[in-house]
Amino acid sequence: MLVELVKLNINGREVEAPAGSTILQAAELAGIEIPRLCYDKELSPLGACRLCVVEVKGNRLLPASCVTPISAGMVVDTESPAVAEARKTILELLIANHPLDCMTCDKLGDCKLADYCYKYGVKDSAFAGEKHDYAIDDSNPFIIRDLNKCILCGACVRACEELTGADNLSYLNRGFHRKATTAGDVDYIDSDNCVFCGQCVAVCPTGALTEKTLAGKARRWDIDRVRTTCPFCGTGCNFDLAVKEGKIIGVLSNPDAPVNQRMLCVKGRFGWDYIYNEKRLTSPLIKKNGKFETASWDEAYDLIATKFKEIKDKYGSESFAALSSARCTNEENFLVGKFTRAVMGTNNVDHCART
Amino acid sequence: MTNPISDILNETELMFLIGTNPTEAHPVIGYKMRKAARKGVKLVVCDPRHIDLVDEADYWLRLKPGTDIPLLNGLMHIIIKEGLEDKKFIEERTENYEELKAIVESYTPERVSELTGISVDDLYSVARLYAKTDKAMIFYTLGITEHICGTRNVMSCANLAMLTGHLGRPGCGVCPQRGQNNVQGACDMGALPNVFSGYQGVGVDAAREKHEKAWGVPLSGKVGLKIPEMFKAAHEGQVKAMYILGENPVLTDPDANHIRKALEHLEFLVVQELFLTETAEYADVILPAASFAECDGTFTNTERRVQRVRQAIDPIPGQANWQTICQMVTKMGYPMSYNDPSEIWDEMASLSPSMAGINYQRIDEMNSIQWPCPTTDHPGTPVLHVGKFTRGLGLFQPSEHIPPAEMPDAEYPFLLSTGRILQHYNVTTPYSPGISSIWDKEMSEVNPQDAEKLGVKTGDKLKVTSRRGEAITNVKVTDRVLPGVIWMSFHYNGTPTNALTSDGLDPITGTGEYKVAAVKLEKI
Ligand code: SF4
Ligand code: SF4
Ligand code: SF4
Ligand code: SF4
C-alpha cells in the first residue's frame, strides 16, 4: 500500500509527511519537537492539555497540533510569539495548584512540566489558588502516587486501558476535584484490577507517579542507564537498569525496546531486587562432613578438576552429565556444551525441562 | 515462534490460543493480545481454566484437560468435510495429507463434543472461523507440551495450520511462546543432548568434524541423555557426577522425590547458583553465580530475536559466570580463554551457519536480530517457512487421542493441573523482597462446589496428596477452575507442587506431564 506524501512548511522549512498525519507527527518526522504533556505516541490522542498549540497561517485560532491533520501547502509556526504566550498561560494554569517542590521531587530532570516551565520562564502563577491535600499512596512496594502533582493529562488512564488493558484507572469528580484514580479512589494495593505493570508510571510526565525504589536515591541526571534484556520470561522485553554509584536502584522503560517499547510486567519492572537479596552466595562453598564451608576459588576448582577427572577415568565419559540453564546467557550455555563435549567427552547435556 | 510478536497488533486477524495463559506467563504478549482483541482481531481461547483473556474472547472452548488432540482433530474434520481446506497449499507444500484425512475422519463433531465437553455448535463455528480467516495465528505453551502426548499435541497444531495454509505469511503461523527467558537460546546454543549449536546433529559426521577441528579434540557422536534420563541414570548408578548451572530441578521438575534420590546417589555434584537452593543443598561444591545484571552476553527470545544482556554492576561473587566456567575448565587441563563474551559468541557463530551473520556490533547497531541470519549483510528473518519449509515439504503427522497417564479415580478423585502465575518466575522472583512482600504463598484454585464439599473457604489450608508425595497449600475459591480440578503454581518452596506431579513423560521430548495428575484433598 503506497501512502501519499503531503508537502507543507514548518518553521520555514519545506517538509513532507504521510497524508493523515497530524501536525505534531509531521513536525516530529522533520526533527522538530513540539512541547506536549498529554500526547504520547504509544497512546490514543486526547487533545486536552493544549500545550502543543501551533500557529497555522490563515487560522485565527491556535490549533492543538496533536489532533490537527496536515494539509497540502499548510504553513505552520511551532514557536511563534503567540504560541509561546499561549503555552506560558497554560503552564501557569497548570502550576496554579501545584506543590512546586522540585527541589526534593524525584522526577526533576525527567519531568516535562518542570522542563517546559524552565523553557518558557514560568516561575509562579498569576492564578495561584487553592492547593490539593491528597494523601500520598505508598501502600505497595513498587509505586508512589502523589496526586497533588497530577496535571490530569490522562496518560496513566490511557496506558492502563490501552497498553495493559487492566482498566484499573479512570476519572472521578469534576472541576477542581477531578482526579485520575482507581475505582472508588482506593490505594493501588486495594484496587481490584491493578497488576502492577507500572505502565502508568512509565508514561506519567510529572512526579505524580514514581518508582518507589528510586525515591530519595538519585536525581534523574545522576542515574546511569544500562540497557538490557529482561530475565523473567521468553517475551524478551528490553529495559534500562537505573544505576547510581555502582548499585542498581530501579528499572526504567526504554521506548526503543524492539519487542515492548515502554511496556513491562510486574516481574520485569519490579522483580530485579532479588539481586541484592542477602541470601546471595558470594564465595565458593565446599561440603565437608555434611556442612558447607567457605573456600577459595582455587580450592573449589582444584577439587572439581580432581573429582571430575577421577570419575571420568574410573567410569568413563558417560558417567558425567551437565544441566545447563534456560535462565543463563547464550554464551554461558555454549560454554557448558563445549565443556561437556570437548572436556568430559559426552553429549550428556540438557537444560531444564520446564520450557 | 514462526512469526514475530509484532504480528499480533500489526498483521493478524485471528488469534487461536490453546493451552496458553499469556497475561500471566508472557504478560507483555498477553497485553498486546488483549489490545488486538479490543480493536477487533478475533480471539479463540481453548482452555479448561477461565484465564483473563477469556473475557476478551469471541469463543471460549472450555475443553476437558488432556483432550487437545480430539479438539484439533475435530476442527480439522469439519474443515475437510466442508471443503474449507487450502487445497493449493496442501498440494504444493505438504505431504502425507491422506493419512491426516483418514485419521480425523472418525473425529465427528458429536464424538469430539463427547470427549472434550465442547458443544457441537461451537466446534462448527470455530472451525469455519479459523479456516475462512485469511491471516490466523496459533499460540500455545506448556498447556500443550506438558502432557505425555506433548509432541503429538504440537504436531496437531501444526497440522491445523498447514491444512488451512496458515503458515509462511505475515499474521499467520504456529507460535509456541517459550517460557523461560532463554529456552530458545539454550536450545540454539546446543545445550541439548543431540545437537551442537545451530541444531547441527552430533551424529552428523561433517558437523562433528567441524567441531573437532575447532576444539582440537575428538568428540562423541553418541546422542546423550535427556534430563529425565540423566536422573534415572544417576538413580541407577550409571551417572556418577553432575554439573548443574542455574537450575533447581528439585523445585521445578516433576516428581521431586525421585530427583532428590537421584542427586543423593551421585558421587560428586557441582552446582553454580545464585542462592542455596533445594538442589544446591545436594552439591559437593557450590560456585556462586552472577545475575543477569552482572554479566555481558545475549538472550534469544521466543521469536528467535537475539538481544544484548549488559553488565550494569560489578558481579556480586567477584566474577561473571562465563569467567567461572572458563577458569574451572582451564583447571581441568583444557584452556578456555576469552577476553569477553563477544568472543564466545563469535566462536559459536563461526560454527553455526544459521547465526553466522550475527555479532555484538550488529546487535548494538540494530538493537536485535532474528535468526536465521547467515551473513553479516542479512537483515534477519522475522517470518519462517516463507515459500518453503526447512525440511522441504510440510509433513502432516496426525495422531489419535492419547489420554493422560494418570486420571482421577476413587482414591485420588481430583485432577491437579499446574502452571505459572503472573508475579513469579521459577526460582528467582521469590527472592525479590518487593514481589514476595505481596505474593508470598501458594494460593491453589478450587471450584466453589468442591470448596463447599471440602468445607474450605479462601485462605484455608488443604493437604494435597498424590501417589508420589504431598504438599500443604492455601486455597483460593474461584470458578476460574472446573469442579473436580485443583490448579497450583510451582513457585514457592513452602508448597513443593512438584512433589505431587505425575511421573508420566512425553516419550519423545522427555517433558513431564505437569498438566494432569490425580490427587486427593483434605482440609487441615
Ligand atoms: S512534578 Fe515536576 S514540577 Fe512538580 S514538583 Fe516534581 S519536578 Fe517539580
Ligand atoms: S500499575 Fe498497571 S494495572 Fe496498575 S494502575 Fe498502573 S497501569 Fe494500571
Ligand atoms: S497521574 Fe500522571 S499520568 Fe496520570 S493524569 Fe496525573 S499527571 Fe497524567
Ligand atoms: S517484562 Fe514481563 S513480559 Fe516482558 S520479558 Fe520480562 S517477564 Fe516477560
Side-chain angles (χ1 to χ4, degrees):
Chain A
M1 198 168 54
L2 224 62
V3 184
E4 189 199 337
L5 288 178
V6 173
K7 283 194 172 61
L8 69 161
N9 182 301
I10 304 182
N11 297 353
R13 276 170 55 197
E14 295 299 323
V15 304
E16 271 186 344
S21 306
T22 61
I23 297 175
L24 189 147
Q25 287 165 334
E28 207 145 74
L29 269 181
I32 299 165
E33 164 114 355
I34 299 176
R36 81 289 298 275
L37 284 166
C38 73
Y39 173 81
D40 187 306
K41 75 169 186 292
E42 286 173 49
L43 304 175
S44 63
L46 196 64
C49 78
R50 300 199 50 84
L51 199 72
C52 67
V53 290
V54 291
E55 198 166 313
V56 175
K57 199 171 170 191
N59 190 337
R60 280 194 314 120
L61 304 170
L62 300 178
S65 63
C66 73
V67 288
T68 308
I70 53 170
S71 58
M74 208 177 214
V75 179
V76 179
D77 190 338
T78 70
E79 293 288 347
S80 73
V83 165
E85 204 44 50
R87 291 203 185 124
K88 225 169 144 165
T89 308
I90 293 164
L91 290 167
E92 285 182 8
L93 281 166
L94 282 173
I95 63 163
N97 58 18
H98 198 88
L100 295 185
D101 57 7
C102 306
M103 303 82 140
T104 56
C105 183
D106 279 300
K107 203 58 168 274
L108 189 68
D110 199 17
C111 172
K112 285 214 175 87
L113 181 61
D115 287 353
Y116 293 140
C117 284
Y118 178 81
K119 176 167 177 172
Y120 293 100
V122 176
K123 286 207 248 244
D124 47 27
S125 180
F127 312 95
E130 196 186 348
K131 307 237 166 179
H132 293 290
D133 189 18
Y134 297 130
I136 292 174
D137 169 10
D138 64 352
S139 56
N140 68 82
F142 313 122
I143 298 167
I144 300 180
R145 204 160 57 118
D146 180 357
L147 290 189
N148 301 301
K149 294 178 184 167
C150 173
I151 55 166
L152 290 168
C153 71
C156 57
V157 178
R158 284 173 287 154
C160 188
E161 181 182 323
E162 296 169 16
L163 297 181
T164 301
D167 304 343
N168 193 48
L169 300 175
S170 57
Y171 304 100
L172 221 65
N173 309 330
R174 289 179 174 277
F176 179 73
H177 299 288
R178 190 167 153 87
K179 267 178 122 173
T181 185
T182 58
D185 201 17
V186 296
D187 283 351
Y188 269 18
I189 193 82
D190 298 318
S191 63
D192 287 336
N193 297 325
C194 187
V195 292
F196 292 102
C197 62
Q199 257 69 280
C200 51
V201 183
V203 299
C204 180
T206 74
L209 295 170
T210 50
E211 295 83 358
K212 195 171 190 172
T213 55
L214 294 177
K217 291 275 173 54
R219 308 267 30 185
R220 295 275 162 159
W221 52 83
D222 288 332
I223 293 175
D224 292 324
R225 298 172 73 129
V226 181
R227 177 163 171 184
T228 195
T229 304
C230 178
F232 294 122
C233 91
T235 305
C237 297
N238 274 16
F239 51 68
D240 289 347
L241 286 167
V243 182
K244 167 94 187 293
E245 287 162 6
K247 239 187 136 186
I248 295 167
I249 54 175
V251 156
L252 295 166
S253 284
N254 184 329
D256 288 337
V259 175
N260 56 301
Q261 295 78 46
R262 281 174 302 170
M263 274 160 93
L264 292 171
C265 77
V266 60
K267 290 175 288 224
R269 204 182 290 281
F270 301 117
W272 58 270
D273 58 354
Y274 78 90
I275 290 168
Y276 293 116
N277 188 304
E278 60 192 26
K279 291 189 185 134
R280 278 285 298 274
L281 300 169
T282 53
S283 82
L285 300 172
I286 294 178
K287 200 182 261 164
K288 288 182 185 148
N289 304 318
K291 276 216 179 72
F292 285 115
E293 291 177 14
T294 308
S296 72
W297 288 96
D298 275 331
E299 283 172 299
Y301 294 145
D302 282 336
L303 181 62
I304 294 169
T306 314
K307 285 301 236 171
F308 277 171
K309 265 198 267 177
E310 212 176 272
I311 289 171
K312 183 181 164 192
D313 291 345
K314 192 160 157 201
Y315 304 105
S317 287
E318 297 300 317
S319 68
F320 174 83
L323 202 47
S324 198
S325 174
R327 290 196 281 132
C328 290
T329 62
N330 287 327
E331 292 71 11
E332 289 154 20
N333 275 290
F334 179 73
L335 290 184
V336 172
K338 183 175 175 182
F339 158 56
T340 308
R341 297 188 159 106
V343 182
M344 299 309 292
T346 169
N347 287 307
N348 291 341
V349 55
D350 202 352
H351 60 273
C352 187
R354 193 100 207 184
T355 55
Chain B
M1 290 174 54
T2 59
N3 286 59
I5 294 169
S6 57
D7 274 8
I8 295 169
L9 277 166
N10 300 341
E11 293 286 349
T12 198
E13 296 155 4
L14 167 66
M15 301 173 285
F16 181 96
L17 272 54
I18 181 161
T20 176
N21 183 8
T23 57
E24 300 218 41
H26 302 85
V28 165
I29 294 180
Y31 302 157
K32 288 187 183 227
M33 287 174 171
R34 180 152 50 200
K35 184 171 183 178
R38 287 184 183 179
K39 65 164 210 193
V41 175
K42 292 272 184 292
L43 174 64
V44 175
V45 175
C46 313
D47 204 299
R49 218 165 139 237
H50 185 151
I51 59 169
D52 288 349
L53 283 176
V54 164
D55 297 336
E56 317 289 335
D58 295 280
Y59 293 94
W60 176 24
L61 306 185
R62 195 173 204 182
L63 74 172
K64 293 180 194 157
T67 62
D68 308 271
I69 292 174
L71 169 60
L72 293 163
N73 283 354
L75 297 176
M76 290 188 273
H77 176 103
I78 294 171
I79 289 169
I80 294 172
K81 278 277 158 354
E82 302 211 330
L84 298 173
E85 74 276 19
D86 185 338
K87 296 179 187 72
K88 187 160 174 279
F89 189 91
I90 296 169
E91 173 65 31
E92 290 172 4
R93 298 209 37 198
T94 69
E95 57 189 338
N96 206 28
Y97 175 59
E98 289 310 314
E99 191 191 342
L100 175 87
K101 209 170 156 185
I103 285 191
V104 305
E105 173 71 32
S106 69
Y107 288 82
T108 61
E110 294 68 26
R111 179 177 167 220
V112 170
S113 177
E114 182 75 35
L115 283 167
T116 60
I118 298 166
S119 76
V120 169
D121 280 354
D122 278 354
L123 290 170
Y124 273 107
S125 308
V126 169
R128 288 170 187 155
L129 179 67
Y130 179 79
K132 288 182 180 170
T133 303
D134 179 40
K135 295 192 215 170
M137 296 173 91
I138 299 177
F139 296 89
Y140 66 82
T141 49
L142 310 175
I144 278 292
T145 51
E146 288 180 353
H147 286 283
I148 51 163
C149 52
T151 306
R152 294 272 157 196
N153 282 344
V154 169
M155 290 168 178
S156 300
C157 289
N159 292 342
L160 177 61
M162 287 195 292
L163 180 67
T164 49
H166 285 134
L167 272 172
R169 289 185 288 134
C172 294
V174 181
C175 299
Q177 293 127 266
R178 299 304 202 130
Q180 298 199 72
N181 56 308
N182 203 30
V183 188
Q184 180 71 51
C187 295
D188 300 347
M189 292 304 114
L192 289 170
N194 58 337
V195 288
F196 296 112
S197 58
Y199 305 93
Q200 306 172 84
V202 295
V204 177
D205 292 342
R208 209 173 50 253
E209 280 156 21
K210 178 169 72 177
H211 283 81
E212 286 176 340
K213 211 168 140 216
W215 295 346
V217 288
L219 297 171
S220 162
K222 185 177 161 224
V223 170
L225 302 174
K226 302 188 197 88
I227 290 185
E229 296 164 346
M230 285 179 191
F231 288 116
K232 189 158 173 278
H235 208 186
E236 291 167 359
Q238 292 104 358
V239 163
K240 300 283 189 190
M242 280 187 81
Y243 163 82
I244 299 180
L245 170 67
E247 285 296 353
N248 186 9
V250 172
L251 193 66
T252 56
D253 282 30
D255 200 358
N257 292 330
H258 171 75
I259 307 237
R260 284 179 185 275
K261 285 201 197 103
L263 293 174
E264 266 165 31
H265 272 106
L266 291 173
E267 278 185 26
F268 194 66
L269 172 63
V270 177
V271 174
Q272 188 167 340
E273 245 309 350
L274 296 163
F275 298 102
L276 189 56
T277 59
E278 290 81 353
T279 302
E281 294 278 1
Y282 290 88
D284 296 284
V285 179
I286 302 178
L287 299 170
S291 76
F292 79 106
E294 299 152 43
C295 299
D296 278 308
T298 52
F299 288 152
T300 306
N301 83 345
T302 182
E303 39 166 13
R304 296 165 281 103
R305 188 186 294 279
V306 184
Q307 305 186 103
R308 278 297 314 275
V309 177
R310 292 189 180 84
Q311 181 178 344
I313 54 169
D314 290 337
I316 287 180
Q319 58 191 40
N321 297 332
W322 63 272
Q323 291 170 312
T324 301
I325 298 168
C326 289
Q327 289 163 9
M328 175 181 86
V329 175
T330 303
K331 211 36 169 234
M332 297 186 62
Y334 184 91
M336 262 192 190
S337 89
Y338 303 92
N339 289 311
D340 77 86
S342 72
E343 296 182 6
I344 306 173
W345 175 276
D346 291 344
E347 176 178 324
M348 184 285 303
S350 74
L351 291 164
S352 313
S354 58
M355 289 173 278
I358 304 179
N359 56 46
Y360 277 29
Q361 196 193 333
R362 286 195 81 200
I363 302 174
D364 283 344
E365 284 162 16
M366 298 164 68
N367 276 339
S368 66
I369 304 178
Q370 286 171 278
W371 71 262
C373 176
T375 54
T376 49
D377 54 6
H378 190 285
T381 311
V383 182
L384 288 183
H385 311 309
V386 178
K388 191 164 166 273
F389 289 101
T390 321
R391 72 180 288 276
L393 291 177
L395 178 66
F396 283 109
Q397 293 170 289
S399 177
E400 298 282 359
H401 178 34
I402 304 168
E406 182 183 73
M407 284 299 276
D409 52 24
E411 198 186 345
Y412 296 95
F414 282 87
L415 189 148
L416 165 70
S417 197
T418 73
R420 283 202 166 84
I421 60 167
L422 165 67
Q423 295 83 5
H424 280 301
Y425 173 59
N426 291 28
V427 284
T428 42
T429 48
Y431 290 97
S432 155
I435 287 188
S436 53
S437 72
I438 314 191
W439 300 283
D440 59 345
K441 53 183 182 296
E442 178 66 33
M443 294 298 285
S444 303
E445 296 179 356
V446 173
N447 184 276
Q449 284 181 28
D450 295 326
E452 202 183 310
K453 280 187 227 149
L454 292 160
V456 291
K457 51 186 192 320
T458 296
D460 286 353
K461 283 190 164 37
L462 276 177
K463 181 163 106 176
V464 189
T465 314
S466 77
R467 289 189 173 81
R468 292 154 298 275
E470 59 178 53
I472 308 286
T473 179
N474 302 278
V475 181
K476 181 174 172 191
V477 180
T478 167
D479 52 17
R480 274 163 69 97
V481 293
L482 287 164
V485 174
I486 176 168
W487 190 91
M488 299 172 72
S489 82
F490 58 92
H491 304 286
Y492 302 98
N493 49 17
T495 302
T497 301
N498 284 319
L500 306 165
T501 39
S502 168
D503 48 6
L505 294 177
D506 178 340
I508 304 168
T509 59
T511 301
E513 185 156 56
Y514 297 91
K515 294 298 173 193
V516 183
V519 294
K520 64 180 170 204
L521 306 179
E522 292 157 88
K523 182 182 178 183
I524 54 165

